């Protein structure tokens, strides 16, 4: 069974921030405030002086116009960090489940599809347009550019199911991290939902991953996203960890 600490590391590599400062066991990530993961602390180790570490993080983030935030999983250190942050006025955001599966098991549950899914190693303009419209984090061109830089910092596969003109019906991203694949950014245009397009995108990405020798896949799904959780349950994903963010009020 993979540990929560290993999962945290995989997710960090699959969604890399522009700046990461090591602070006595913590990884303080910054990316112009775009996405919580890339602008939060990954507390992998316990600082010698917790109070000073918290003061440093808060001052650094505030100097860069970023709300101080922490990603809290079962591996977070020190072990009472969640309670310490709550006492300091931090609020819980986005409780999320982390799930894993063998790619062969997932493919066995996915139906054959004749959908024309294109796979590339970079996000095309069509891919970005669909993601930003359906599942992006909001903001203008500057925020979108920062988000695209996150995507392009690591090895990944990008799937597009084309629509008309320069639009896409569905897209997805598969980060390639060590010997794992991480499923991110699965999005289907509202006009084309309930047609099995998400499954077609997942199938195309995982088939390409197997051709590269990758055998295992992980994903993150927000606890409140009932439809996505139902899909992943049907495909055989198992919950192996969880996390939430603590964000300064």
């Amino acid at each position: 069974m993979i540990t929560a600490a290993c999962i945290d590391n995989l997710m960090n590599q699959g969604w890399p921030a522009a700046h990461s400062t090591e602070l006595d066991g913590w990884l303080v990530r910054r990316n112009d405030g775009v996405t919580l993961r890339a602008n939060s602390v990954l507390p992998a180790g316990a600082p010698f002086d917790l109070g000073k570490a918290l003061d440093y993080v808060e001052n650094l983030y505030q100097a860069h116009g970023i709300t101080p935030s922490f990603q809290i999983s079962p591996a977070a250190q020190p072990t009472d960090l969640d309670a310490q942050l709550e006492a300091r006025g931090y609020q819980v955001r986005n409780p999320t489940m982390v799930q894993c599966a063998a790619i062969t098991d997932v493919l066995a549950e996915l139906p054959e599809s004749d959908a024309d899914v294109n796979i590339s190693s970079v996000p095309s303009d069509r891919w970005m347009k669909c993601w930003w419209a359906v599942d992006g984090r909001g903001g203008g061109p500057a925020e979108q550019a920062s988000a695209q830089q996150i995507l392009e910092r690591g090895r990944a596969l990008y799937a597009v199911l084309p629509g008309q003109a320069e639009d896409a019906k569905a897209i997805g991203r598969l980060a390639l991290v060590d010997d794992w694949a991480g499923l991110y950014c699965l999005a289907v245009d509202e006009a084309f939902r309930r047609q099995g397009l998400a499954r077609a995108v997942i199938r195309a990405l995982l088939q390409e991953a197997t051709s590269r020798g990758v055998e295992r896949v992980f994903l993150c799904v927000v606890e409140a996203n009932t439809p996505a959780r139902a899909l992943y349950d049907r495909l055989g994903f198992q919950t192996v960890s969880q996390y939430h963010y603590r964000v300064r009020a």
Side-chain angles (χ1 to χ4, degrees):
M1 178 66 70
I2 188 168
T3 66
C6 287
I7 281 289
D8 289 349
N9 181 54
L10 288 173
M11 290 189 297
N12 180 61
Q13 293 183 70
W15 199 261
H19 306 283
S20 296
T21 303
E22 292 189 11
L23 176 65
D24 198 13
W26 287 357
L27 193 64
V28 186
R29 302 172 290 192
R30 293 186 288 113
N31 202 94
D32 301 324
V34 178
T35 79
L36 257 178
R37 184 185 308 285
N39 294 275
S40 61
V41 177
L42 182 62
F48 178 75
D49 188 319
L50 179 61
K52 286 185 177 180
L54 288 170
D55 289 341
Y56 175 88
V57 165
E58 291 175 354
N59 291 333
L60 177 66
Y61 277 150
Q62 289 168 356
H64 289 276
I66 298 171
T67 303
S69 306
F70 287 75
Q71 181 184 338
I72 305 296
S73 80
Q77 295 294 323
T79 55
D80 65 344
L81 178 60
D82 198 37
Q84 294 278 358
L85 292 173
E86 182 178 22
R88 205 173 172 103
Y90 284 70
Q91 297 180 349
V92 172
R93 297 276 182 85
N94 302 349
T96 300
M97 304 163 66
V98 186
Q99 300 184 324
C100 295
I103 290 179
T104 53
D105 293 343
V106 178
L107 287 173
E109 298 298 329
L110 286 166
E112 294 285 347
S113 173
D114 57 2
D116 184 20
V117 180
N118 299 326
I119 304 290
S120 65
S121 59
V122 294
S124 64
D125 291 344
R126 174 181 283 177
W127 192 100
M128 285 298 303
K129 179 182 178 181
C130 180
W131 178 58
W132 203 246
V134 178
D135 193 41
R137 303 309 192 265
E143 288 79 10
Q144 183 175 341
S146 292
Q148 184 164 351
Q149 289 166 5
I150 293 174
L151 300 174
E152 294 178 344
R153 284 191 191 102
R155 292 175 57 236
L157 301 172
Y158 295 86
V160 174
L161 207 167
Q164 294 182 345
E166 295 302 314
D167 293 334
K169 296 179 181 179
I171 57 99
R173 175 179 184 260
L174 199 67
L176 303 176
V177 183
D178 298 334
D179 58 346
W180 282 82
L183 185 62
Y184 291 86
C185 306
L186 188 65
V188 179
D189 186 286
E190 187 174 0
F192 299 99
R193 292 177 183 171
R194 301 185 185 279
Q195 298 179 22
L197 302 189
R199 293 191 295 271
V201 166
I202 295 172
R203 182 178 181 84
L205 285 169
L206 295 185
Q207 284 180 323
E208 180 63 26
T210 60
S211 73
R212 298 170 183 243
V214 182
E215 298 180 349
R216 297 176 292 176
V217 58
F218 69 90
L219 58 82
C220 309
V221 57
V222 175
E223 287 185 5
N225 191 344
T226 303
R229 289 178 57 185
L231 170 61
Y232 299 141
D233 285 346
R234 290 195 299 271
L235 297 182
F237 282 90
Q238 299 291 322
T239 299
V240 297
S241 188
Q242 65 275 332
Y243 66 88
H244 59 267
Y245 292 98
R246 281 282 181 182
V247 179
R248 187 69 184 266

